[in-house]
Amino acid sequence: MQRTMALSLDSLDLLPPTGGEGGTPLRIPLDAIDEDPEQPRQEFDEQSLTELAETIRERGVRQPVSVRTHPTQPGRWMLNFGARHLRACKRVGLSEIPAFVDQTANSVDQFIENEQRKGLSPLEIALFVQRALNQGQTQADIARAIGKSRQYVTLATALIDPPDWLLSAYREGRCRGLNELHELRKLAGEHPHYVEAWTSDRSPITRDAVMALRAELAEGSGSVRRGTSALLESVEAGLRTGEAGTGARKSRQ
């Protein structure tokens, strides 16, 4: 199921965040804060969260999160920035977290904050761009809003409603670069079976390997058809070997 991220281009000029008297952060109960479902950050590294939780356990929360009042639930808060800190505090078992209130933050600000703090993954970028396009924004509009080039936004579209084989390569960590993902998707437009088979047979998928694939495809359709058959036979043989191994293990049980 495809998830999408929201984009609003309103109120891009942020007001200074507010807190308690003297600019000190508020102390807000963790169970009163909801994560923004339209937050661009959707993928969290487990080891990084564990390390952050241990740091908070030893030293406390050194960096307040940012919140705004919940748009539909009075008395609750919606998180602007700080999902990692919020999750780490819950792991440690804290009941409160320091927070500044910023009523003007939107998904564009969230994208910029996350990208500058710790780069978003290709899939998170794609989901953000997809929602923006669905709202009628152009790629040029999106690029201007987030301070990126038009080419950056174009590359991000590779994982918008991707074919299963490409998403598998991404999820398995075999192909994580925006350039490589975009190039594979483009090449698959004319040679879908060959590119799918080629992708399933490689790990990791580097930029040099993708460029070599592009050159090979440019040489001629005859060699591509022969290569497709060989690759598909190799993949099918591997699947048969795996199934045979599974059957043998079951028979011994």
Side-chain angles (χ1 to χ4, degrees):
M1 180 180 295
Q2 188 86 19
R3 295 175 297 173
T4 55
M5 302 289 102
L7 174 66
S8 172
L9 300 181
D10 299 329
S11 305
L12 291 180
D13 295 326
L14 298 182
L15 298 175
T18 59
E21 294 183 3
T24 58
L26 302 173
R27 303 290 303 186
I28 299 179
L30 290 176
D31 59 9
I33 303 175
D34 295 322
E35 291 191 35
D36 189 344
E38 297 179 347
Q39 159 69 253
R41 176 75 70 193
Q42 295 292 322
E43 298 184 315
F44 295 85
D45 180 72
E46 185 67 22
Q47 181 177 349
S48 177
L49 275 178
T50 299
E51 292 172 353
L52 179 58
E54 289 304 314
T55 299
I56 289 175
R57 190 192 308 275
E58 295 293 329
R59 298 177 51 82
V61 182
R62 313 300 295 178
Q63 180 177 334
V65 299
S66 172
V67 298
R68 64 186 185 275
T69 54
H70 199 288
T72 61
Q73 300 181 38
R76 296 192 62 78
W77 301 90
M78 184 72 77
L79 190 69
N80 295 324
F81 313 121
R84 293 178 65 252
H85 278 74
L86 184 69
R87 294 186 179 203
C89 285
K90 289 180 178 179
R91 291 191 179 198
V92 174
L94 298 184
S95 60
E96 295 181 330
I97 191 170
F100 286 110
V101 179
D102 182 356
Q103 303 286 17
T104 66
N106 59 29
S107 61
V108 173
D109 305 312
Q110 291 172 332
F111 182 96
I112 294 171
E113 171 76 9
N114 279 298
E115 180 66 9
Q116 291 178 345
R117 185 180 301 274
K118 184 180 180 182
L120 293 166
S121 72
L123 183 58
E124 290 169 333
I125 298 168
L127 294 174
F128 178 86
V129 170
Q130 180 183 39
R131 183 60 177 269
L133 293 172
N134 289 344
Q135 291 182 338
Q137 303 297 325
T138 66
Q139 291 190 17
D141 293 332
I142 300 167
R144 282 194 297 270
I146 63 177
K148 297 289 187 179
S149 68
R150 170 71 180 276
Q151 176 67 8
Y152 175 90
V153 176
T154 299
L155 293 175
T157 62
L159 287 179
I160 292 180
D161 193 22
D164 290 341
W165 58 267
L166 187 62
L167 186 59
S168 294
Y170 171 82
R171 292 288 195 192
E172 294 165 6
R174 294 186 291 110
C175 186
R176 300 284 292 188
L178 279 177
N179 284 284
E180 291 83 350
L181 291 164
H182 184 267
E183 186 67 22
L184 285 174
R185 181 109 187 235
K186 183 169 67 174
L187 293 174
E190 295 184 3
H191 308 282
H193 298 299
Y194 186 81
V195 174
E196 178 179 353
W198 183 94
T199 301
S200 69
D201 197 39
R202 282 173 178 64
S203 179
I205 298 174
T206 64
R207 178 175 296 190
D208 287 345
V210 174
M211 293 303 98
L213 170 64
R214 183 172 67 179
E216 180 181 348
L217 292 174
E219 289 179 358
S221 58
S223 62
V224 168
R225 283 194 296 270
R226 291 191 296 274
T228 300
S229 299
L231 277 172
L232 288 175
E233 288 175 3
S234 175
V235 172
E236 290 172 357
L239 291 174
R240 288 194 297 271
T241 300
E243 291 172 355
T246 300
R249 287 193 295 273
K250 289 182 177 180
S251 67
R252 291 195 296 268
Q253 293 176 353

